[in-house]
Amino acid sequence: MSVAASLKSALFTVLLCLSIGAHAEPQTLIFAHVVGENTPKGKMAEMFKSMVERRLGDHYRVDIYPNTQLMDDDEAPFAIPEGRIHFAAPALSKFEQFTERLKVYDLPFLFANMGAVDEFQRGPIGQELLTHMAGEGIYGLGYLHNGMKQLTLATPFERPEDMAGQRFRSMQSDVLVRQFERLNAEALPMAFSQVYQALADDVVQGQENTWSNIYSQRFYDHQPYMMVSNHGVLDYMVITPTEFWQSLPEDHRFFFEYAMDMSIKYGNAVALAKNTNDRIEIERMSNVTVMVPTEEQLRRWQQVMEPLWNEYEAIIGKEVIDAARALQSGI
Ligand code: LMR
């Protein structure tokens, strides 16, 4: 072969290799959430992104939209089955348009602590709940923790009676609305991104959230009174469109599963640390009073709120509520 011919053939080979090597652009996967980057959910999303891009970067890029930049979490459960986004982690309270059964997580004082939540989620009902919306296009990849919710208010309070007539922001959940009604208070469901302003403008006088959210959203600016109530749970389900999930090549799906598992473990560790540290930061603030109720005081709150368990038994399912109750008494 002449020099010119072999150069030509080498060039052809290089071009061929380049064209084979030049994949289509990586597919962009969207992860939308409503909290800051420095939160359990924010940290989990970032770890997932970095693991996927490091291993499968030729195929996927994960774009994270924190702080409600793309949509709020009331919209996310609709955007997932429509395939508008690929990942989200809404609070379990935000699925009421799709299922009654997840309302178990909103029942006040049903879960004594995050250990009980963990155990319930590892059990058969908790696992089944992860995928029970798959037929509607919402596939649960795992549970991510934030922590126990605390009650906060603009004015001093100690007893359930002190809540009468106050308006509280709640998530979009009829159980949570009923919870405040049991206190003779009013609940105003609204998106997370609106809460700070609603507190500042006195549209609502109180709210319930975890230490991590109270701290990262600066709710303490307008909520000088707080109670270590631990009365409810803020936990998330990481969701993806069923169709997208099933369409992934098997080896990619395995890796996604692994990456999600690792990221959730990391997020849960962050949740534990943040809720401990952020509580300490808040308790240090000179303008905030954090009340720690006695067991006796807490029992009074429980007595007022717990009738909701019976009220929702037929709606949520007795076996679901019983599975959570069994963890309380150890039976
Ligand atoms: C809320 O709306 O209070 C929470 O769901 C926000 C979040 O995602 O932590």
Side-chain angles (χ1 to χ4, degrees), residues 95 98-99 102 129-139 237 242:
F95 291 93
F98 295 90
T99 177
L102 288 177
L129 288 178
L130 263 184
T131 50
H132 80 298
M133 298 176 287
E136 299 186 64
I138 301 175
Y139 193 88
M237 190 186 285
T242 310

Side-chain angles (χ1 to χ4, degrees), residues 34-35 41 73 89-91 94 146 169-171 190-193 195 207-210 213 219 234 236:
V34 297
V35 288
K41 192 162 24 182
D73 267 356
K94 295 181 178 169
N146 188 315
R169 177 270 172 169
S170 77
M171 290 188 273
M190 73 176 71
F192 187 60
S193 56
V195 181
Q207 64 90 48
E208 53 168 7
N209 230 306
T210 57
N213 278 351
F219 291 159
L234 175 57
Y236 310 115

Side-chain angles (χ1 to χ4, degrees), residues 187-237:
L188 187 59
M190 73 176 71
F192 187 60
S193 56
Q194 296 166 2
V195 181
Y196 184 89
Q197 206 49 47
L199 292 169
D201 296 344
D202 198 33
V203 173
V204 289
Q205 292 78 50
Q207 64 90 48
E208 53 168 7
N209 230 306
T210 57
W211 296 114
S212 154
N213 278 351
I214 294 167
Y215 187 70
S216 59
Q217 297 291 313
R218 301 183 59 101
F219 291 159
Y220 54 79
D221 282 349
H222 305 288
Q223 298 283 272
Y225 298 96
M226 307 188 185
M227 182 170 91
V228 185
S229 52
N230 289 324
H231 64 285
V233 174
L234 175 57
D235 214 76
Y236 310 115
M237 190 186 285

